[in-house]
Amino acid sequence: MHIKLFIVSSFLSYINAFLSSPLKSTYTIRNTHNTHNTPKMSIIVFGATGATGQEVVVQALNKKERVVAFCRDQSKLTQPPGTCGIDATANLIVDNKLVKYTGTVTSQSDVDKAFSLAPTYVKGVVVALGGKPDEVGYDMLTNGTQCIINAMKKYNVKRIAVVTSIGVGDSVRQAPLFFKLIMWTAMKSIMKDKNNQEDLFLESTGAPGADLEYTIVRPGGLSFDPPTNNVKVIDGVAGKIPRADVAKFCLEAVLEEDFQYLRKSPSISSIFE
C-alpha cells in the first residue's frame, strides 16, 4: 500500500513539475509544409493506435501522404483529441490513402509485410511504440525496433523518427526531479527498454541503425492538448508538450530533406511557463 501511495504521489508531483519547470530554448522548429514532389510517397507508422501514433497518422493524411498504420488492434485507430477535437475520439480514422495492417512488431515477418503493403515507395518510418510491459513484453521496444531496422534495410528505406522519452540516454539531466524518482522505481523496466531501443542507433558506429537517417525524439511531459505549432528543441529541464506537436516534429524528421536533427537525439517541449 505504501508503495502504491508513493508511486501515485510521485506521478502527481511529476506532472506538476512538468507544468511549472522553466525551459531554456535553443531552437524553434520552422513551420513548414511538406515540400517533396509528387507522386506522394508512403509513411509507415508503428504504434499507430497509441496516442502519439494516432496523431502521426492523421497529420500525415492531412498532408496528403499515403500511410501504412501498423496496429495491434485496428479498432483503436481512432481520431486523436489534439488535432481532431475531443468529440471525435470515438470515430475511426478512415481515408483512401490509409492502409491498416494488424501485426506484432516483434515478428519480423509481420513487420516485413507492412513494408510490402505500402502502395508507393516508403519515404520514412515513424516509431511511436508503447504499452504496459506486462501486456506487450519488457523488451518489446528494443526487439520491435530491431525488426523495423531489418525491414528498412531490406526495402532500402533510410529515414526514421523514433519517439522515446525525456530521461533516456544523456537527457537524464533534463528530467524533472520527480520524474527521475519514477524512472528509478515504477518505470525502471520501461526506461531500460527505451535506453536499449536508443542504443540500436546511438551505441556505436556499428550499431544496427547507425547508418540510417534517424532522429531520436525525446519529448517532455505529454498531453492531449491541441497543437501549439511552437515546438522547440531544449537543453534545459523539460516541460510539457502536446502529442500533436510531437507528431508534427516526427513528420518533419521523415519528410524534410534537410531536417536539422538527422542522426541526433533532440529533447523537445512546446509549453513555456
Side-chain angles (χ1 to χ4, degrees):
M1 179 63 71
H2 292 297
I3 293 175
K4 290 182 178 179
L5 289 174
F6 168 76
I7 292 173
V8 172
S9 176
S10 297
F11 179 75
L12 292 175
S13 299
Y14 155 63
I15 294 299
N16 182 63
F18 262 25
L19 289 171
S20 60
S21 295
L23 298 170
K24 180 178 178 182
S25 172
T26 58
Y27 184 79
T28 302
I29 300 301
R30 61 180 182 266
N31 187 16
T32 58
H33 298 288
N34 178 24
T35 56
H36 68 257
N37 297 326
T38 56
K40 298 296 183 183
M41 300 180 186
S42 296
I43 296 171
I44 303 181
V45 182
F46 290 90
T49 58
T52 302
Q54 292 170 346
E55 285 285 356
V56 176
V57 171
V58 163
Q59 290 186 32
L61 292 171
N62 288 345
K63 289 177 174 287
K64 308 303 180 184
E65 300 295 336
R66 298 184 184 278
V67 179
V68 177
F70 192 98
C71 312
R72 281 191 294 138
D73 181 353
Q74 290 187 23
S75 69
K76 295 181 180 179
L77 189 60
T78 54
Q79 297 181 14
T83 293
C84 300
I86 192 66
D87 294 335
T89 56
N91 301 328
L92 291 174
I93 301 174
V94 179
D95 194 287
N96 60 11
K97 297 180 297 299
L98 174 64
V99 175
K100 302 177 184 180
Y101 177 68
T102 301
T104 301
V105 74
T106 54
S107 165
Q108 189 66 64
S109 61
D110 283 358
V111 173
D112 288 349
K113 181 66 173 179
F115 279 78
S116 71
L117 289 174
T120 53
Y121 172 76
V122 179
K123 168 66 175 180
V125 174
V126 177
V127 179
L129 296 170
K132 298 177 181 178
D134 289 343
E135 297 177 0
V136 300
Y138 287 81
D139 52 7
M140 179 274 293
L141 301 177
T142 305
N143 292 341
T145 303
Q146 178 67 73
C147 289
I148 294 167
I149 291 171
N150 294 342
M152 289 180 67
K153 293 184 177 182
K154 177 179 179 179
Y155 287 89
N156 194 30
V157 180
K158 289 293 186 181
R159 194 67 70 92
I160 181 172
V162 183
V163 182
T164 61
S165 174
I166 201 73
V168 180
D170 59 7
S171 70
V172 172
R173 62 181 178 81
Q174 295 180 267
L177 175 60
F178 288 102
F179 185 47
K180 289 178 182 177
L181 293 177
I182 298 171
M183 286 166 47
W184 298 330
T185 54
M187 290 183 63
K188 186 176 180 179
S189 61
I190 297 175
M191 298 306 288
K192 178 181 179 182
D193 197 12
K194 287 181 180 292
N195 274 286
N196 290 338
Q197 180 186 31
E198 287 198 359
D199 283 348
L200 293 173
F201 303 90
L202 303 175
E203 184 178 23
S204 67
T205 55
D211 58 338
L212 298 176
E213 296 176 355
Y214 63 82
T215 303
I216 306 298
V217 183
R218 296 167 172 169
L222 295 167
S223 75
F224 292 98
D225 295 338
T228 67
N229 297 313
N230 187 33
V231 181
K232 295 184 184 296
V233 173
I234 59 163
D235 62 7
V237 177
K240 257 181 95 177
I241 184 167
R243 289 173 170 83
D245 282 342
V246 177
K248 179 179 185 294
F249 189 89
C250 289
L251 286 172
E252 289 177 353
V254 299
L255 292 176
E256 290 184 7
E257 296 298 331
D258 59 346
F259 188 67
Q260 183 174 347
Y261 295 98
L262 292 181
R263 296 192 174 94
K264 295 182 180 180
S265 50
S267 299
I268 59 174
S269 292
S270 59
I271 306 297
F272 305 91
E273 300 178 354

